Amino acid sequence: MRKIKSILGVALMSVVLCFCLLFGGCEKEIAGTYKFKSMTYNQNGMNINLEVGEEFMNMITLTEDYVTVTLNDDGTATMSMAAGEIENMQGTWEKGDDGEIELTFEGETQICKCDGETLTMEEDGAKIVLEK
């Protein structure tokens, strides 16, 4: 009876170890290129929501390339914004707590939410969502 308990204990521990190894690597890769998906802001008390393909201020059509952020594995980042002229910025990023990252461009750091699929930037009541 002792041998059976010992064998069952080893088998159970093996299964638990396999699950630990299997689910330990489930964290999504944050590095990659994120492109514009949507923007929400408040103007004169109205909540405005714009998505890819919609026209902004009857002047430009918002494409995926309206805002693009690339997070590299080495901690560097680039951001491209196509608001009239194309503006490219170089910066850095590092992983924070609870699905957040710290993006630094031109000496200013911004805390953003990032789950490996979407990157959400919020500032002054405006929210921009980028998608991988």
mmCIF file with all atom_site columns, all heavy atoms in Angstrom, residues 29-34 69-79 89-95 101 103 105 132:
data_model
loop_
_atom_site.group_PDB
_atom_site.id
_atom_site.type_symbol
_atom_site.label_atom_id
_atom_site.label_alt_id
_atom_site.label_comp_id
_atom_site.label_asym_id
_atom_site.label_entity_id
_atom_site.label_seq_id
_atom_site.pdbx_PDB_ins_code
_atom_site.Cartn_x
_atom_site.Cartn_y
_atom_site.Cartn_z
_atom_site.occupancy
_atom_site.B_iso_or_equiv
_atom_site.pdbx_formal_charge
_atom_site.auth_seq_id
_atom_site.auth_comp_id
_atom_site.auth_asym_id
_atom_site.auth_atom_id
_atom_site.pdbx_PDB_model_num
ATOM 1   N N   . GLU A 1 29  ? 4.089  38.084 -25.780 1.00 0.00 ? 29  GLU A N   1
ATOM 2   C CA  . GLU A 1 29  ? 5.235  38.888 -26.190 1.00 0.00 ? 29  GLU A CA  1
ATOM 3   C C   . GLU A 1 29  ? 4.769  40.324 -26.414 1.00 0.00 ? 29  GLU A C   1
ATOM 4   O O   . GLU A 1 29  ? 3.863  40.575 -27.203 1.00 0.00 ? 29  GLU A O   1
ATOM 5   C CB  . GLU A 1 29  ? 5.827  38.310 -27.479 1.00 0.00 ? 29  GLU A CB  1
ATOM 6   C CG  . GLU A 1 29  ? 6.990  39.050 -28.030 1.00 0.00 ? 29  GLU A CG  1
ATOM 7   C CD  . GLU A 1 29  ? 8.226  38.967 -27.165 1.00 0.00 ? 29  GLU A CD  1
ATOM 8   O OE1 . GLU A 1 29  ? 8.411  37.959 -26.468 1.00 0.00 ? 29  GLU A OE1 1
ATOM 9   O OE2 . GLU A 1 29  ? 9.004  39.922 -27.189 1.00 0.00 ? 29  GLU A OE2 1
ATOM 10  N N   . ILE A 1 30  ? 5.399  41.254 -25.740 1.00 0.00 ? 30  ILE A N   1
ATOM 11  C CA  . ILE A 1 30  ? 5.010  42.659 -25.855 1.00 0.00 ? 30  ILE A CA  1
ATOM 12  C C   . ILE A 1 30  ? 5.676  43.314 -27.057 1.00 0.00 ? 30  ILE A C   1
ATOM 13  O O   . ILE A 1 30  ? 5.073  44.133 -27.742 1.00 0.00 ? 30  ILE A O   1
ATOM 14  C CB  . ILE A 1 30  ? 5.340  43.407 -24.548 1.00 0.00 ? 30  ILE A CB  1
ATOM 15  C CG1 . ILE A 1 30  ? 4.411  42.905 -23.453 1.00 0.00 ? 30  ILE A CG1 1
ATOM 16  C CG2 . ILE A 1 30  ? 5.202  44.906 -24.727 1.00 0.00 ? 30  ILE A CG2 1
ATOM 17  C CD1 . ILE A 1 30  ? 4.654  43.499 -22.099 1.00 0.00 ? 30  ILE A CD1 1
ATOM 18  N N   . ALA A 1 31  ? 6.919  42.956 -27.332 1.00 0.00 ? 31  ALA A N   1
ATOM 19  C CA  . ALA A 1 31  ? 7.644  43.563 -28.450 1.00 0.00 ? 31  ALA A CA  1
ATOM 20  C C   . ALA A 1 31  ? 6.896  43.307 -29.756 1.00 0.00 ? 31  ALA A C   1
ATOM 21  O O   . ALA A 1 31  ? 6.267  42.273 -29.946 1.00 0.00 ? 31  ALA A O   1
ATOM 22  C CB  . ALA A 1 31  ? 9.058  43.002 -28.524 1.00 0.00 ? 31  ALA A CB  1
ATOM 23  N N   . GLY A 1 32  ? 6.943  44.284 -30.645 1.00 0.00 ? 32  GLY A N   1
ATOM 24  C CA  . GLY A 1 32  ? 6.282  44.166 -31.939 1.00 0.00 ? 32  GLY A CA  1
ATOM 25  C C   . GLY A 1 32  ? 5.795  45.530 -32.405 1.00 0.00 ? 32  GLY A C   1
ATOM 26  O O   . GLY A 1 32  ? 6.051  46.554 -31.771 1.00 0.00 ? 32  GLY A O   1
ATOM 27  N N   . THR A 1 33  ? 5.078  45.551 -33.509 1.00 0.00 ? 33  THR A N   1
ATOM 28  C CA  . THR A 1 33  ? 4.557  46.793 -34.072 1.00 0.00 ? 33  THR A CA  1
ATOM 29  C C   . THR A 1 33  ? 3.061  46.885 -33.834 1.00 0.00 ? 33  THR A C   1
ATOM 30  O O   . THR A 1 33  ? 2.312  45.964 -34.144 1.00 0.00 ? 33  THR A O   1
ATOM 31  C CB  . THR A 1 33  ? 4.855  46.865 -35.590 1.00 0.00 ? 33  THR A CB  1
ATOM 32  O OG1 . THR A 1 33  ? 6.274  46.823 -35.767 1.00 0.00 ? 33  THR A OG1 1
ATOM 33  C CG2 . THR A 1 33  ? 4.319  48.136 -36.197 1.00 0.00 ? 33  THR A CG2 1
ATOM 34  N N   . TYR A 1 34  ? 2.657  48.011 -33.272 1.00 0.00 ? 34  TYR A N   1
ATOM 35  C CA  . TYR A 1 34  ? 1.253  48.289 -32.966 1.00 0.00 ? 34  TYR A CA  1
ATOM 36  C C   . TYR A 1 34  ? 0.784  49.422 -33.861 1.00 0.00 ? 34  TYR A C   1
ATOM 37  O O   . TYR A 1 34  ? 1.451  50.450 -33.973 1.00 0.00 ? 34  TYR A O   1
ATOM 38  C CB  . TYR A 1 34  ? 1.100  48.688 -31.493 1.00 0.00 ? 34  TYR A CB  1
ATOM 39  C CG  . TYR A 1 34  ? 1.478  47.595 -30.520 1.00 0.00 ? 34  TYR A CG  1
ATOM 40  C CD1 . TYR A 1 34  ? 2.798  47.371 -30.169 1.00 0.00 ? 34  TYR A CD1 1
ATOM 41  C CD2 . TYR A 1 34  ? 0.505  46.781 -29.961 1.00 0.00 ? 34  TYR A CD2 1
ATOM 42  C CE1 . TYR A 1 34  ? 3.151  46.368 -29.287 1.00 0.00 ? 34  TYR A CE1 1
ATOM 43  C CE2 . TYR A 1 34  ? 0.842  45.772 -29.074 1.00 0.00 ? 34  TYR A CE2 1
ATOM 44  C CZ  . TYR A 1 34  ? 2.172  45.572 -28.745 1.00 0.00 ? 34  TYR A CZ  1
ATOM 45  O OH  . TYR A 1 34  ? 2.511  44.572 -27.862 1.00 0.00 ? 34  TYR A OH  1
ATOM 46  N N   . VAL A 1 69  ? 3.505  52.412 -33.344 1.00 0.00 ? 69  VAL A N   1
ATOM 47  C CA  . VAL A 1 69  ? 4.536  52.298 -32.318 1.00 0.00 ? 69  VAL A CA  1
ATOM 48  C C   . VAL A 1 69  ? 5.186  50.928 -32.468 1.00 0.00 ? 69  VAL A C   1
ATOM 49  O O   . VAL A 1 69  ? 4.495  49.913 -32.521 1.00 0.00 ? 69  VAL A O   1
ATOM 50  C CB  . VAL A 1 69  ? 3.958  52.445 -30.894 1.00 0.00 ? 69  VAL A CB  1
ATOM 51  C CG1 . VAL A 1 69  ? 5.012  52.173 -29.841 1.00 0.00 ? 69  VAL A CG1 1
ATOM 52  C CG2 . VAL A 1 69  ? 3.369  53.839 -30.700 1.00 0.00 ? 69  VAL A CG2 1
ATOM 53  N N   . THR A 1 70  ? 6.510  50.918 -32.549 1.00 0.00 ? 70  THR A N   1
ATOM 54  C CA  . THR A 1 70  ? 7.259  49.665 -32.611 1.00 0.00 ? 70  THR A CA  1
ATOM 55  C C   . THR A 1 70  ? 8.088  49.532 -31.344 1.00 0.00 ? 70  THR A C   1
ATOM 56  O O   . THR A 1 70  ? 8.883  50.416 -31.023 1.00 0.00 ? 70  THR A O   1
ATOM 57  C CB  . THR A 1 70  ? 8.173  49.619 -33.847 1.00 0.00 ? 70  THR A CB  1
ATOM 58  O OG1 . THR A 1 70  ? 7.366  49.754 -35.023 1.00 0.00 ? 70  THR A OG1 1
ATOM 59  C CG2 . THR A 1 70  ? 8.945  48.316 -33.909 1.00 0.00 ? 70  THR A CG2 1
ATOM 60  N N   . LEU A 1 71  ? 7.874  48.441 -30.622 1.00 0.00 ? 71  LEU A N   1
ATOM 61  C CA  . LEU A 1 71  ? 8.635  48.129 -29.419 1.00 0.00 ? 71  LEU A CA  1
ATOM 62  C C   . LEU A 1 71  ? 9.621  47.026 -29.768 1.00 0.00 ? 71  LEU A C   1
ATOM 63  O O   . LEU A 1 71  ? 9.208  45.929 -30.165 1.00 0.00 ? 71  LEU A O   1
ATOM 64  C CB  . LEU A 1 71  ? 7.699  47.662 -28.297 1.00 0.00 ? 71  LEU A CB  1
ATOM 65  C CG  . LEU A 1 71  ? 6.539  48.596 -27.939 1.00 0.00 ? 71  LEU A CG  1
ATOM 66  C CD1 . LEU A 1 71  ? 5.642  47.949 -26.882 1.00 0.00 ? 71  LEU A CD1 1
ATOM 67  C CD2 . LEU A 1 71  ? 7.055  49.930 -27.463 1.00 0.00 ? 71  LEU A CD2 1
ATOM 68  N N   . ASN A 1 72  ? 10.897 47.319 -29.666 1.00 0.00 ? 72  ASN A N   1
ATOM 69  C CA  . ASN A 1 72  ? 11.938 46.344 -29.995 1.00 0.00 ? 72  ASN A CA  1
ATOM 70  C C   . ASN A 1 72  ? 12.351 45.555 -28.751 1.00 0.00 ? 72  ASN A C   1
ATOM 71  O O   . ASN A 1 72  ? 12.242 46.058 -27.628 1.00 0.00 ? 72  ASN A O   1
ATOM 72  C CB  . ASN A 1 72  ? 13.151 47.062 -30.592 1.00 0.00 ? 72  ASN A CB  1
ATOM 73  C CG  . ASN A 1 72  ? 12.787 47.783 -31.873 1.00 0.00 ? 72  ASN A CG  1
ATOM 74  O OD1 . ASN A 1 72  ? 12.171 47.217 -32.763 1.00 0.00 ? 72  ASN A OD1 1
ATOM 75  N ND2 . ASN A 1 72  ? 13.148 49.051 -31.957 1.00 0.00 ? 72  ASN A ND2 1
ATOM 76  N N   . ASP A 1 73  ? 12.860 44.345 -28.965 1.00 0.00 ? 73  ASP A N   1
ATOM 77  C CA  . ASP A 1 73  ? 13.290 43.483 -27.860 1.00 0.00 ? 73  ASP A CA  1
ATOM 78  C C   . ASP A 1 73  ? 14.395 44.110 -27.014 1.00 0.00 ? 73  ASP A C   1
ATOM 79  O O   . ASP A 1 73  ? 14.520 43.802 -25.838 1.00 0.00 ? 73  ASP A O   1
ATOM 80  C CB  . ASP A 1 73  ? 13.785 42.131 -28.397 1.00 0.00 ? 73  ASP A CB  1
ATOM 81  C CG  . ASP A 1 73  ? 12.641 41.258 -28.886 1.00 0.00 ? 73  ASP A CG  1
ATOM 82  O OD1 . ASP A 1 73  ? 11.558 41.309 -28.280 1.00 0.00 ? 73  ASP A OD1 1
ATOM 83  O OD2 . ASP A 1 73  ? 12.838 40.528 -29.878 1.00 0.00 ? 73  ASP A OD2 1
ATOM 84  N N   . ASP A 1 74  ? 15.189 45.001 -27.612 1.00 0.00 ? 74  ASP A N   1
ATOM 85  C CA  . ASP A 1 74  ? 16.310 45.600 -26.873 1.00 0.00 ? 74  ASP A CA  1
ATOM 86  C C   . ASP A 1 74  ? 15.913 46.807 -26.020 1.00 0.00 ? 74  ASP A C   1
ATOM 87  O O   . ASP A 1 74  ? 16.761 47.477 -25.450 1.00 0.00 ? 74  ASP A O   1
ATOM 88  C CB  . ASP A 1 74  ? 17.437 45.981 -27.832 1.00 0.00 ? 74  ASP A CB  1
ATOM 89  C CG  . ASP A 1 74  ? 17.036 47.066 -28.827 1.00 0.00 ? 74  ASP A CG  1
ATOM 90  O OD1 . ASP A 1 74  ? 15.871 47.516 -28.809 1.00 0.00 ? 74  ASP A OD1 1
ATOM 91  O OD2 . ASP A 1 74  ? 17.901 47.469 -29.632 1.00 0.00 ? 74  ASP A OD2 1
ATOM 92  N N   . GLY A 1 75  ? 14.607 47.110 -25.939 1.00 0.00 ? 75  GLY A N   1
ATOM 93  C CA  . GLY A 1 75  ? 14.140 48.217 -25.103 1.00 0.00 ? 75  GLY A CA  1
ATOM 94  C C   . GLY A 1 75  ? 14.041 49.540 -25.836 1.00 0.00 ? 75  GLY A C   1
ATOM 95  O O   . GLY A 1 75  ? 13.656 50.544 -25.250 1.00 0.00 ? 75  GLY A O   1
ATOM 96  N N   . THR A 1 76  ? 14.349 49.566 -27.126 1.00 0.00 ? 76  THR A N   1
ATOM 97  C CA  . THR A 1 76  ? 14.178 50.791 -27.903 1.00 0.00 ? 76  THR A CA  1
ATOM 98  C C   . THR A 1 76  ? 12.786 50.798 -28.523 1.00 0.00 ? 76  THR A C   1
ATOM 99  O O   . THR A 1 76  ? 12.148 49.756 -28.670 1.00 0.00 ? 76  THR A O   1
ATOM 100 C CB  . THR A 1 76  ? 15.241 50.913 -29.014 1.00 0.00 ? 76  THR A CB  1
ATOM 101 O OG1 . THR A 1 76  ? 15.119 49.790 -29.898 1.00 0.00 ? 76  THR A OG1 1
ATOM 102 C CG2 . THR A 1 76  ? 16.645 50.983 -28.422 1.00 0.00 ? 76  THR A CG2 1
ATOM 103 N N   . ALA A 1 77  ? 12.330 51.991 -28.875 1.00 0.00 ? 77  ALA A N   1
ATOM 104 C CA  . ALA A 1 77  ? 11.002 52.137 -29.455 1.00 0.00 ? 77  ALA A CA  1
ATOM 105 C C   . ALA A 1 77  ? 11.021 53.231 -30.510 1.00 0.00 ? 77  ALA A C   1
ATOM 106 O O   . ALA A 1 77  ? 11.830 54.158 -30.440 1.00 0.00 ? 77  ALA A O   1
ATOM 107 C CB  . ALA A 1 77  ? 9.990  52.477 -28.368 1.00 0.00 ? 77  ALA A CB  1
ATOM 108 N N   . THR A 1 78  ? 10.131 53.110 -31.481 1.00 0.00 ? 78  THR A N   1
ATOM 109 C CA  . THR A 1 78  ? 9.931  54.175 -32.464 1.00 0.00 ? 78  THR A CA  1
ATOM 110 C C   . THR A 1 78  ? 8.439  54.452 -32.557 1.00 0.00 ? 78  THR A C   1
ATOM 111 O O   . THR A 1 78  ? 7.617  53.544 -32.409 1.00 0.00 ? 78  THR A O   1
ATOM 112 C CB  . THR A 1 78  ? 10.464 53.798 -33.860 1.00 0.00 ? 78  THR A CB  1
ATOM 113 O OG1 . THR A 1 78  ? 9.814  52.599 -34.293 1.00 0.00 ? 78  THR A OG1 1
ATOM 114 C CG2 . THR A 1 78  ? 11.958 53.596 -33.864 1.00 0.00 ? 78  THR A CG2 1
ATOM 115 N N   . MET A 1 79  ? 8.109  55.728 -32.779 1.00 0.00 ? 79  MET A N   1
ATOM 116 C CA  . MET A 1 79  ? 6.713  56.105 -32.960 1.00 0.00 ? 79  MET A CA  1
ATOM 117 C C   . MET A 1 79  ? 6.624  56.969 -34.206 1.00 0.00 ? 79  MET A C   1
ATOM 118 O O   . MET A 1 79  ? 7.424  57.882 -34.402 1.00 0.00 ? 79  MET A O   1
ATOM 119 C CB  . MET A 1 79  ? 6.164  56.862 -31.759 1.00 0.00 ? 79  MET A CB  1
ATOM 120 C CG  . MET A 1 79  ? 4.708  57.243 -31.948 1.00 0.00 ? 79  MET A CG  1
ATOM 121 S SD  . MET A 1 79  ? 3.786  57.715 -30.454 1.00 0.00 ? 79  MET A SD  1
ATOM 122 C CE  . MET A 1 79  ? 4.776  58.979 -29.749 1.00 0.00 ? 79  MET A CE  1
ATOM 123 N N   . MET A 1 89  ? 9.683  59.489 -34.119 1.00 0.00 ? 89  MET A N   1
ATOM 124 C CA  . MET A 1 89  ? 10.396 59.725 -32.868 1.00 0.00 ? 89  MET A CA  1
ATOM 125 C C   . MET A 1 89  ? 11.071 58.444 -32.412 1.00 0.00 ? 89  MET A C   1
ATOM 126 O O   . MET A 1 89  ? 10.539 57.351 -32.608 1.00 0.00 ? 89  MET A O   1
ATOM 127 C CB  . MET A 1 89  ? 9.429  60.188 -31.780 1.00 0.00 ? 89  MET A CB  1
ATOM 128 C CG  . MET A 1 89  ? 8.846  61.561 -32.019 1.00 0.00 ? 89  MET A CG  1
ATOM 129 S SD  . MET A 1 89  ? 7.817  62.077 -30.648 1.00 0.00 ? 89  MET A SD  1
ATOM 130 C CE  . MET A 1 89  ? 6.244  61.439 -31.168 1.00 0.00 ? 89  MET A CE  1
ATOM 131 N N   . GLN A 1 90  ? 12.238 58.589 -31.822 1.00 0.00 ? 90  GLN A N   1
ATOM 132 C CA  . GLN A 1 90  ? 12.983 57.473 -31.248 1.00 0.00 ? 90  GLN A CA  1
ATOM 133 C C   . GLN A 1 90  ? 12.857 57.558 -29.731 1.00 0.00 ? 90  GLN A C   1
ATOM 134 O O   . GLN A 1 90  ? 12.893 58.648 -29.177 1.00 0.00 ? 90  GLN A O   1
ATOM 135 C CB  . GLN A 1 90  ? 14.456 57.541 -31.647 1.00 0.00 ? 90  GLN A CB  1
ATOM 136 C CG  . GLN A 1 90  ? 14.697 57.559 -33.147 1.00 0.00 ? 90  GLN A CG  1
ATOM 137 C CD  . GLN A 1 90  ? 14.252 56.284 -33.821 1.00 0.00 ? 90  GLN A CD  1
ATOM 138 O OE1 . GLN A 1 90  ? 14.480 55.193 -33.314 1.00 0.00 ? 90  GLN A OE1 1
ATOM 139 N NE2 . GLN A 1 90  ? 13.597 56.411 -34.960 1.00 0.00 ? 90  GLN A NE2 1
ATOM 140 N N   . GLY A 1 91  ? 12.745 56.424 -29.077 1.00 0.00 ? 91  GLY A N   1
ATOM 141 C CA  . GLY A 1 91  ? 12.638 56.419 -27.627 1.00 0.00 ? 91  GLY A CA  1
ATOM 142 C C   . GLY A 1 91  ? 12.973 55.061 -27.046 1.00 0.00 ? 91  GLY A C   1
ATOM 143 O O   . GLY A 1 91  ? 13.614 54.236 -27.696 1.00 0.00 ? 91  GLY A O   1
ATOM 144 N N   . THR A 1 92  ? 12.510 54.854 -25.818 1.00 0.00 ? 92  THR A N   1
ATOM 145 C CA  . THR A 1 92  ? 12.738 53.594 -25.119 1.00 0.00 ? 92  THR A CA  1
ATOM 146 C C   . THR A 1 92  ? 11.444 53.129 -24.475 1.00 0.00 ? 92  THR A C   1
ATOM 147 O O   . THR A 1 92  ? 10.493 53.898 -24.330 1.00 0.00 ? 92  THR A O   1
ATOM 148 C CB  . THR A 1 92  ? 13.811 53.752 -24.022 1.00 0.00 ? 92  THR A CB  1
ATOM 149 O OG1 . THR A 1 92  ? 13.358 54.724 -23.076 1.00 0.00 ? 92  THR A OG1 1
ATOM 150 C CG2 . THR A 1 92  ? 15.148 54.175 -24.605 1.00 0.00 ? 92  THR A CG2 1
ATOM 151 N N   . TRP A 1 93  ? 11.441 51.873 -24.083 1.00 0.00 ? 93  TRP A N   1
ATOM 152 C CA  . TRP A 1 93  ? 10.305 51.329 -23.340 1.00 0.00 ? 93  TRP A CA  1
ATOM 153 C C   . TRP A 1 93  ? 10.818 50.303 -22.355 1.00 0.00 ? 93  TRP A C   1
ATOM 154 O O   . TRP A 1 93  ? 11.873 49.712 -22.540 1.00 0.00 ? 93  TRP A O   1
ATOM 155 C CB  . TRP A 1 93  ? 9.275  50.708 -24.285 1.00 0.00 ? 93  TRP A CB  1
ATOM 156 C CG  . TRP A 1 93  ? 9.689  49.390 -24.891 1.00 0.00 ? 93  TRP A CG  1
ATOM 157 C CD1 . TRP A 1 93  ? 10.479 49.201 -25.972 1.00 0.00 ? 93  TRP A CD1 1
ATOM 158 C CD2 . TRP A 1 93  ? 9.340  48.083 -24.422 1.00 0.00 ? 93  TRP A CD2 1
ATOM 159 N NE1 . TRP A 1 93  ? 10.650 47.866 -26.218 1.00 0.00 ? 93  TRP A NE1 1
ATOM 160 C CE2 . TRP A 1 93  ? 9.961  47.151 -25.278 1.00 0.00 ? 93  TRP A CE2 1
ATOM 161 C CE3 . TRP A 1 93  ? 8.569  47.603 -23.363 1.00 0.00 ? 93  TRP A CE3 1
ATOM 162 C CZ2 . TRP A 1 93  ? 9.828  45.778 -25.113 1.00 0.00 ? 93  TRP A CZ2 1
ATOM 163 C CZ3 . TRP A 1 93  ? 8.438  46.235 -23.207 1.00 0.00 ? 93  TRP A CZ3 1
ATOM 164 C CH2 . TRP A 1 93  ? 9.058  45.342 -24.072 1.00 0.00 ? 93  TRP A CH2 1
ATOM 165 N N   . GLU A 1 94  ? 10.067 50.145 -21.274 1.00 0.00 ? 94  GLU A N   1
ATOM 166 C CA  . GLU A 1 94  ? 10.343 49.048 -20.350 1.00 0.00 ? 94  GLU A CA  1
ATOM 167 C C   . GLU A 1 94  ? 9.039  48.571 -19.733 1.00 0.00 ? 94  GLU A C   1
ATOM 168 O O   . GLU A 1 94  ? 8.077  49.321 -19.613 1.00 0.00 ? 94  GLU A O   1
ATOM 169 C CB  . GLU A 1 94  ? 11.380 49.417 -19.296 1.00 0.00 ? 94  GLU A CB  1
ATOM 170 C CG  . GLU A 1 94  ? 11.090 50.610 -18.444 1.00 0.00 ? 94  GLU A CG  1
ATOM 171 C CD  . GLU A 1 94  ? 12.231 50.884 -17.481 1.00 0.00 ? 94  GLU A CD  1
ATOM 172 O OE1 . GLU A 1 94  ? 13.342 51.186 -17.926 1.00 0.00 ? 94  GLU A OE1 1
ATOM 173 O OE2 . GLU A 1 94  ? 11.966 50.772 -16.272 1.00 0.00 ? 94  GLU A OE2 1
ATOM 174 N N   . LYS A 1 95  ? 9.049  47.314 -19.392 1.00 0.00 ? 95  LYS A N   1
ATOM 175 C CA  . LYS A 1 95  ? 7.864  46.676 -18.842 1.00 0.00 ? 95  LYS A CA  1
ATOM 176 C C   . LYS A 1 95  ? 7.641  47.142 -17.413 1.00 0.00 ? 95  LYS A C   1
ATOM 177 O O   . LYS A 1 95  ? 8.565  47.201 -16.613 1.00 0.00 ? 95  LYS A O   1
ATOM 178 C CB  . LYS A 1 95  ? 8.053  45.157 -18.889 1.00 0.00 ? 95  LYS A CB  1
ATOM 179 C CG  . LYS A 1 95  ? 6.808  44.383 -18.649 1.00 0.00 ? 95  LYS A CG  1
ATOM 180 C CD  . LYS A 1 95  ? 7.074  42.920 -18.904 1.00 0.00 ? 95  LYS A CD  1
ATOM 181 C CE  . LYS A 1 95  ? 5.812  42.133 -18.624 1.00 0.00 ? 95  LYS A CE  1
ATOM 182 N NZ  . LYS A 1 95  ? 6.011  40.729 -18.861 1.00 0.00 ? 95  LYS A NZ  1
ATOM 183 N N   . ILE A 1 101 ? 3.356  49.375 -19.515 1.00 0.00 ? 101 ILE A N   1
ATOM 184 C CA  . ILE A 1 101 ? 4.714  49.643 -19.971 1.00 0.00 ? 101 ILE A CA  1
ATOM 185 C C   . ILE A 1 101 ? 4.973  51.139 -19.825 1.00 0.00 ? 101 ILE A C   1
ATOM 186 O O   . ILE A 1 101 ? 4.039  51.940 -19.787 1.00 0.00 ? 101 ILE A O   1
ATOM 187 C CB  . ILE A 1 101 ? 4.955  49.197 -21.429 1.00 0.00 ? 101 ILE A CB  1
ATOM 188 C CG1 . ILE A 1 101 ? 4.063  49.971 -22.403 1.00 0.00 ? 101 ILE A CG1 1
ATOM 189 C CG2 . ILE A 1 101 ? 4.789  47.702 -21.586 1.00 0.00 ? 101 ILE A CG2 1
ATOM 190 C CD1 . ILE A 1 101 ? 4.439  49.770 -23.854 1.00 0.00 ? 101 ILE A CD1 1
ATOM 191 N N   . LEU A 1 103 ? 6.668  54.130 -21.749 1.00 0.00 ? 103 LEU A N   1
ATOM 192 C CA  . LEU A 1 103 ? 7.200  54.604 -23.025 1.00 0.00 ? 103 LEU A CA  1
ATOM 193 C C   . LEU A 1 103 ? 7.840  55.961 -22.802 1.00 0.00 ? 103 LEU A C   1
ATOM 194 O O   . LEU A 1 103 ? 7.234  56.839 -22.185 1.00 0.00 ? 103 LEU A O   1
ATOM 195 C CB  . LEU A 1 103 ? 6.075  54.786 -24.036 1.00 0.00 ? 103 LEU A CB  1
ATOM 196 C CG  . LEU A 1 103 ? 5.617  53.593 -24.836 1.00 0.00 ? 103 LEU A CG  1
ATOM 197 C CD1 . LEU A 1 103 ? 4.427  53.967 -25.700 1.00 0.00 ? 103 LEU A CD1 1
ATOM 198 C CD2 . LEU A 1 103 ? 6.724  53.053 -25.691 1.00 0.00 ? 103 LEU A CD2 1
ATOM 199 N N   . PHE A 1 105 ? 9.565  59.085 -24.918 1.00 0.00 ? 105 PHE A N   1
ATOM 200 C CA  . PHE A 1 105 ? 9.909  59.763 -26.161 1.00 0.00 ? 105 PHE A CA  1
ATOM 201 C C   . PHE A 1 105 ? 10.222 61.213 -25.840 1.00 0.00 ? 105 PHE A C   1
ATOM 202 O O   . PHE A 1 105 ? 9.478  61.865 -25.110 1.00 0.00 ? 105 PHE A O   1
ATOM 203 C CB  . PHE A 1 105 ? 8.754  59.705 -27.174 1.00 0.00 ? 105 PHE A CB  1
ATOM 204 C CG  . PHE A 1 105 ? 8.510  58.336 -27.734 1.00 0.00 ? 105 PHE A CG  1
ATOM 205 C CD1 . PHE A 1 105 ? 7.438  57.577 -27.309 1.00 0.00 ? 105 PHE A CD1 1
ATOM 206 C CD2 . PHE A 1 105 ? 9.353  57.808 -28.695 1.00 0.00 ? 105 PHE A CD2 1
ATOM 207 C CE1 . PHE A 1 105 ? 7.209  56.320 -27.823 1.00 0.00 ? 105 PHE A CE1 1
ATOM 208 C CE2 . PHE A 1 105 ? 9.127  56.546 -29.216 1.00 0.00 ? 105 PHE A CE2 1
ATOM 209 C CZ  . PHE A 1 105 ? 8.059  55.794 -28.782 1.00 0.00 ? 105 PHE A CZ  1
ATOM 210 N N   . LYS A 1 132 ? -1.729 45.135 -32.525 1.00 0.00 ? 132 LYS A N   1
ATOM 211 C CA  . LYS A 1 132 ? -0.624 44.425 -33.172 1.00 0.00 ? 132 LYS A CA  1
ATOM 212 C C   . LYS A 1 132 ? -1.078 43.828 -34.477 1.00 0.00 ? 132 LYS A C   1
ATOM 213 O O   . LYS A 1 132 ? -2.164 43.391 -34.654 1.00 0.00 ? 132 LYS A O   1
ATOM 214 C CB  . LYS A 1 132 ? -0.154 43.295 -32.237 1.00 0.00 ? 132 LYS A CB  1
ATOM 215 C CG  . LYS A 1 132 ? 1.322  43.139 -32.204 1.00 0.00 ? 132 LYS A CG  1
ATOM 216 C CD  . LYS A 1 132 ? 1.675  42.062 -31.230 1.00 0.00 ? 132 LYS A CD  1
ATOM 217 C CE  . LYS A 1 132 ? 3.056  42.280 -30.675 1.00 0.00 ? 132 LYS A CE  1
ATOM 218 N NZ  . LYS A 1 132 ? 3.427  41.269 -29.731 1.00 0.00 ? 132 LYS A NZ  1
#
